[in-house]
Amino acid sequence: MQKCGVLGSLLSALILLTCIQTGVHGCDFAQPACGAAADGDVMIGIMLPCHQKVTALHERVKPESFHCSDFDLESFMLSLATIHEIEEINAAGFLPGVRLGYLMCDTCSYASKALQSVEHMLAVNTSLSVMCDYTNSTPTVKIILGGLYSEVSIAVARLLNIFMVPLLSSTSSSPELSDKIRYPVFMRTIPSDIHQTKALAKMMLHFNWNWVGVVYGDDDYGRAAFQSFFWDAEENGVCLAFQEVLPHYLNHSESKHRIRQIAQKIRSSSAQVVVLILRAELVNALFQEMMRTNTSRTWVASDSWSSSWSLAQMDGINRVGDILGFTFIAGKSESFDNYLKNLAATPGGRNLFIEKYKHIRFNCTPECFSNTPPPYCPSNDLLKIKSGDACNITHPQEKNDDYLVKSLDTSKAFPHRIAVWAVANALKKLLKCNNSSCSGEINFPPWKLLQELKNIEFQLEDQNYSFDENGDFVNGYDLMMWEKGSQHRRLRRIGKYHISHGRIELLVKHFNWISTVNNTTPRSRCSERCAPGSVKKILNVSCCYNCTLCVEGTYSDDWDLHVCKRCPSGTWSLKGWTKCRPRWESFLRWSDPHPISMVASAVFGILLLFVVFVIFLVHRDSAPMKKAEVRLSCVMMAGLAVSFASVICLMGRPSVHLCQARQVMYAMGFTLCVSCILVKAYRTFLAFLPFGQITHRRLHKLYKPPVIILVITSLQGIICLLWLLFDSPDIDDTPPSPQSMVRLIQCSEGATFIGFGVMLGYIALLALVCFLLAFKGRKVPQEFSETGYIIFSMLMYLFVWVCFIPVYITHDEKRTPVQASAILVSTYGIMFCHFVPRCYRVLRGSETDAFEIILKRCGFVTCPNLNSDTKINIDIHARNTPFKRNDRFSVTSTTTILSSLETQNPSDSEVVVKTVFDKKIHPFSRETNAIGRRRSISF
C-alpha cells in the first residue's frame, strides 16, 4: 500500500512538473494550464475558470496555446473552497491512511481550453495513450470537479465518456446533462435547470407577471434553459413578449451590435420584466447599454449570474432597476472564511492563482492608475480590488486580509463543498475504509468510483444528501433580491423554492422595489387581469385578451378564467355575476306595503258600502232615497262589494282556484252594478227624449228592470263559464326573463286571453251603452235624473280600463297590482258618484223640492211647498215649435214604473201648467184633455 502511495505521489509530481515547469512541450507558463496542485494518494481534478475569457479568440488560426485574461475573483473563490474542503478532509483523517491530492486547471470559461486541461489531467508520462478498451485504465486523476458553465461540462463530459471518468459539477445546470445515455459520467450537486425554469415560472405567477421578455445565450446552456422555460411559462400562463439570442462569446464580432439591438428591443417592448439566461460578462455588457440609455426594467436572473459579485459591484448598477433570481442552496462556513483570511498554498503544493490574486491585490502598481496604463496592467474592474496600502507592503505574497470575505458571498461555495464530501464518502466506501485504515486498492479505474458515487448517501451539517436517477441533487433554490446599496448592490435572501412541492416560500413579506413608485410590485401584463364575473377572450396570444362579462345563467368565481361556469339547476345569475343564486319569487305578499294598502282600500270600500247601506235603510222614506231607488241601489252595492272582495283575492300567493275566483267575482259583481246603472240610464232615456208613439211604446215594453239586470248579468255568467271551460285561468308558467332574478308567481288569464278580453269587453260595452244613453239625456235637469253621475262614473271606468290595457300587456310583472288598482279606482268612482252625494243630502237635511226648483228656473210664480206624496202633472202646450208637443210629467216617489198614457184624469192634487209660446200665459187650471202627445213617468 505504501509503495502504491509513493508511486502515486511520484506520478502526480511528474504530471505537475509537466504542467508548470518552463519549456515543456511548448506550454506558456505565464498562462499555466494547471496552476495549482498538491500531491496525494488519490488525485482529484479541479476544473474551474480563474479567468473570464480567452483573448483574441476570433484571431486564432493556428493550434497555439490559449491566452487568458480578466481574472475572475468569484470563480477563484469557488476553486479555493474546493481546495480548502480537500485539506479539511485530509486534516480530519476522514480516509485513514489515504491522502487526497488535487490538480487544478483554469478553463478560462472556454470549452476548448477545458478539453486541453482534460488532456493534462488524464495524461500519463505527458501523453494520453489511445486504446480500444479503457476498462483497466488507471489515470492519475480519478474524478474531475467542474466545470463552471454547462457548455464546458457538456464538452468535457463527452470526452470523459470514453474513459468513464466521473465529472461532478456544482454549477452546470443544463437539463441536457441529465440525459444519462449521452452523459453517463456527469453528476452534479445542484438541481437541473428543468426545476429552475419551473421556479422562475412560479415566481412570475406569484408576482402576476404574464408578459415577459427573454434574452438567452447562443450556447448549450442558454438554448436548453430557454426551451425549458418556454414550456414552463406556457403551463403557468406566462407569455413571451419577445425572445432574443445573444452570442455567448463576448468578443464575437457581432456581440456589440446584437447587444444594441436587444437593448432597443427591450426599450420598445411593453414588457417590464426581462429574463436573462446569460453569462455574467454578457449581462455586464447589456447593463452598460441599458445604463447608457437610462433604461430601467425588472430583471430576472438565471443561476449563472444571480449571485455575481462583479455585477453587483458595477458602477451605476442601481440605475438598471430591480434584480432578482434563484441561486443554489448556500451555506456559510466559518472555517472557509478563516482560510480566505489566511491564504496560502497547500503545504507541499503550489497555487499560482493565489499568487496572481495577491499580486493584483497587494503589489504596488501606481502606473496602472495613470491615463495611459501599460499593457500588463489589469482591467479597471480588477484595479478596484487593489489594496489602499499596496505601496506600503514589502512582501505582497505574504500579505493577507479579509477582502475576499467582505466583498464576496462565500456561502455560494456550499455546493462545491458538498461535491468534495460526496467524493470523499464514495471513496470511503470504495476503499473499504474503517476508523483506522482503508483496505481497498488505491489505483482503481475511475469507473468504479462513478458507480459508488451514484449510490452514495451521506450527511453534512445535519442534512442528508443523495443523487437521483439522473445524477442530480433536488435540494431546491434560494430566491435572492439585489437590494440597493449606497453605490452597489447587496444580495438578500427573500425566499426559497421547494422542488418536492413545486411552490415558492417567501421569507420576507415586504420588498424594497426600486423601479416603481411607492414601493409597489412592478406590473408586467399584456392585459389586466379579468376579475370574477368575467372571462378572457383571447386576442392573438393567450396573455393578450379582452375581459368579457359572463352572460346570464353563467358565472365565474375566480380571476382569469377562460370559460364561464353554468349555474346549477334551480339557480340563476345575471350578467357579470360571480355566483349563482336561487331566483326569488315575486307576488303580492300580505306583508308588503303595496298589497297592504290595496287590501286596506278594498276593506275600507266594503265598510263604506255597509255604512251607505245602513244610511239607505234608515232613511229609505226620505225624498232623496226614494229618488235613488233603494232596492236598485242595494243591488248595486252588492255588486260593488263583490268587486271589492275580488281585489282581496288578488293578494297573496296565487293558486289555480284563486286565479279563477278573482276574475269571476270581479266580472259578475261589476256587471251586476253596471246593469243597474244601465237601467237608470235607460229610464231617463225613455222619459225625457222625444220618440214617435209607436217607437215609444216598443221601447217602453223593454223597460223591465229585473229582467234587464238578470239577462245582462247572466250573459256575463255564460261568458265566464265558457272561459273557465275552454281557456281557464291558471298559474303562469312563463319562464322568467334571462335578465331578471325575479320569478313571477302570477295568474295567467288563459292561454289565448280571449276569455279575459271578452269579459272585459262585455263590461266596457255595457259602460259605453250607459254613457251613450246618459249622454243623450244630459240636458235633463239633475233633479229628475242621474245622467251627470252616470256620465262621469262611466267615463272614469272607461278611462281607467283604457289605460289599464296597454300597461297590462307591456308589463308582465305589474299585471296584478295594475288590475287591482283599476278595480279599486273604477269601483270607488261608482260609489262616490252614485251613493255618497245621496247620503250627504239626506244627512244634511237640505233637500229642496224638485218641482219648486223647476218652477223657479222657468220663471214661474212661487208655488207652495209640496210634500213628497204630491203628484205633479205638467202640461206643456208647445206652439210654433219644431216638435209641436204637449208633455206631461208625473213625479212620484214610489216605484220606477212607467204609467199608461191612454186615459188619465187628474186628481184634485194635479196641477196643470200650460206654456204658450206666443207670449200668452194661461193661469193654473184643471183640465181633463191634453192636446197632442202626453208622456207620463213616475220616479
Side-chain angles (χ1 to χ4, degrees), residues 18 109 126 147 277 580 620-621 665 693 701 713 719 802 838 890:
T18 61
S109 306
T126 69
I277 309 175
C580 297
R620 61 184 177 275
D621 294 329
M665 287 175 64
Q693 190 172 1
K701 291 178 181 179
T713 308
I719 292 172
V802 166
R838 296 287 182 185
S890 178

Coordinates of all heavy atoms in Angstrom, one line a residue, residues 18 109 126 147 277 580 620-621 665 693 701 713 719 802 838 890:
T18 N 5.1 18.5 -15.6 CA 4.9 18.7 -17.0 C 4.0 19.9 -17.2 O 4.0 20.5 -18.3 CB 4.2 17.5 -17.6 OG1 3.0 17.2 -16.9 CG2 5.1 16.3 -17.4
S109 N -13.2 29.8 -18.9 CA -14.6 29.9 -19.4 C -14.8 29.5 -20.9 O -15.7 30.0 -21.5 CB -15.2 31.3 -19.2 OG -15.0 31.7 -17.8
T126 N 3.2 12.4 -19.6 CA 2.9 13.6 -20.6 C 2.3 13.2 -21.9 O 2.3 14.0 -22.8 CB 4.3 14.2 -20.9 OG1 5.1 13.4 -21.7 CG2 5.0 14.6 -19.6
G147 N -17.3 21.6 -14.8 CA -16.9 23.0 -14.9 C -17.9 23.9 -14.4 O -19.0 23.5 -14.0
I277 N -30.9 34.8 -19.5 CA -30.3 33.5 -19.3 C -28.9 33.6 -20.0 O -28.7 33.1 -21.1 CB -31.1 32.3 -19.9 CG1 -32.6 32.4 -19.4 CG2 -30.5 31.0 -19.6 CD1 -33.5 31.4 -20.0
C580 N -74.1 31.9 -8.5 CA -75.5 31.8 -8.8 C -76.3 31.7 -7.5 O -75.9 31.3 -6.5 CB -75.7 30.5 -9.6 SG -74.8 30.4 -11.2
R620 N -134.8 55.4 4.2 CA -135.4 54.9 2.9 C -136.7 55.6 2.5 O -137.1 55.6 1.4 CB -135.7 53.4 3.0 CG -136.7 53.0 4.1 CD -136.9 51.5 4.2 NE -137.7 51.1 5.3 CZ -137.4 51.0 6.5 NH1 -136.1 51.2 6.9 NH2 -138.3 50.6 7.5
D621 N -137.3 56.3 3.5 CA -138.6 57.0 3.2 C -138.3 58.5 2.8 O -139.3 59.2 2.5 CB -139.5 57.0 4.4 CG -140.0 55.5 4.6 OD1 -140.1 54.8 3.6 OD2 -140.2 55.2 5.8
M665 N -115.4 36.8 -9.8 CA -116.0 37.7 -8.8 C -116.1 39.1 -9.4 O -117.1 39.7 -9.3 CB -115.2 37.6 -7.5 CG -115.4 36.4 -6.7 SD -114.3 36.4 -5.3 CE -114.9 37.7 -4.3
Q693 N -144.9 57.7 -31.3 CA -145.7 57.0 -30.3 C -145.5 55.5 -30.4 O -145.4 54.8 -29.4 CB -147.2 57.3 -30.6 CG -148.1 56.7 -29.5 CD -149.6 57.2 -29.7 OE1 -149.9 57.9 -30.7 NE2 -150.5 56.8 -28.8
K701 N -142.0 48.9 -23.6 CA -142.2 47.5 -23.3 C -140.9 46.8 -22.8 O -140.9 45.8 -22.1 CB -142.8 46.7 -24.5 CG -144.2 47.1 -24.8 CD -144.7 46.4 -26.0 CE -146.2 46.8 -26.3 NZ -146.7 46.1 -27.5
T713 N -126.5 40.2 -16.5 CA -125.6 39.5 -15.6 C -125.5 38.1 -16.0 O -124.4 37.5 -15.9 CB -126.1 39.6 -14.1 OG1 -126.4 41.0 -13.8 CG2 -125.1 39.0 -13.1
I719 N -120.4 33.9 -20.3 CA -119.0 34.2 -20.8 C -118.0 33.6 -19.8 O -117.0 33.0 -20.2 CB -118.9 35.7 -20.9 CG1 -119.7 36.3 -22.1 CG2 -117.4 36.1 -21.2 CD1 -119.7 37.8 -22.2
V802 N -109.0 51.8 -20.2 CA -108.2 52.0 -21.4 C -106.8 52.2 -21.1 O -105.9 51.7 -21.8 CB -108.8 53.2 -22.2 CG1 -107.8 53.7 -23.2 CG2 -110.1 52.9 -22.8
R838 N -126.0 61.2 -2.3 CA -127.3 60.9 -1.7 C -127.2 60.9 -0.2 O -128.1 61.5 0.5 CB -127.9 59.6 -2.2 CG -128.1 59.5 -3.7 CD -129.3 60.4 -4.1 NE -129.6 60.2 -5.5 CZ -130.5 60.9 -6.1 NH1 -131.3 61.8 -5.5 NH2 -130.7 60.8 -7.4
S890 N -145.2 63.4 -14.6 CA -145.8 62.9 -13.3 C -144.7 62.4 -12.5 O -144.0 61.5 -12.8 CB -146.8 61.8 -13.6 OG -147.3 61.3 -12.4

